[in-house]
Amino acid sequence: MGVFNFLRDSTAKKPPPSRAAAMQSIRAKGKQESRGTIKVDSFTFNVRDYNLKGFIVEPYDKDILAKGQRFKFEMKCSKDAHVMEGRAEAVVTKIANGALAASFTIKPSGA
């Protein structure tokens, strides 16, 4: 290890990732892990993430909810050992890029 290693070109050629590693990273970008589902009327949506304040639904490709709208739903979600299940109410806080974010106004019974 030389004293002047910082002068070495940091863009040195690195071997390209293996085919398996490249495919795995592509799959990871395209598919988010689902934490569960919510059901609004007759529509079911995947929950990308949630906490005690709200949740994010992705993909959201319907026009049944608008920003600021309150809605009732049924939730079945889990993260590690925590489970949220039951009827609840929320308000839509944001809709963007194929996702919907909402805050709980009434939390499910399993919260």
Side-chain angles (χ1 to χ4, degrees):
M1 176 134 163
V3 177
F4 296 105
N5 279 349
F6 67 92
L7 294 175
R8 190 176 299 171
D9 186 14
S10 64
T11 60
K13 292 183 181 179
K14 297 178 185 176
S18 69
R19 181 171 172 83
M23 290 303 290
Q24 191 174 27
S25 74
I26 290 170
R27 272 190 235 120
K29 288 179 186 173
K31 185 177 180 183
Q32 298 278 331
E33 183 178 332
S34 177
R35 300 286 185 188
T37 60
I38 65 162
K39 187 172 183 180
V40 181
D41 298 329
S42 62
F43 300 98
T44 302
F45 301 101
N46 286 324
V47 176
R48 183 180 75 187
D49 200 11
Y50 75 94
N51 59 28
L52 295 176
K53 293 184 179 186
F55 57 90
I56 299 173
V57 171
E58 188 176 25
Y60 178 74
D61 56 355
K62 306 288 185 212
D63 288 331
I64 60 170
L65 299 171
K67 184 177 178 184
Q69 180 179 354
R70 285 182 166 219
F71 63 100
K72 293 183 180 183
F73 60 95
E74 191 166 328
M75 182 176 210
K76 291 182 184 177
C77 292
S78 64
K79 187 189 310 184
D80 299 326
H82 186 264
V83 176
M84 268 190 163
E85 203 171 301
R87 299 219 16 99
E89 185 179 280
V91 61
V92 177
T93 56
K94 187 174 184 177
I95 299 174
N97 301 326
L100 177 141
S103 302
F104 291 117
T105 54
I106 300 173
K107 293 180 185 172
S109 57

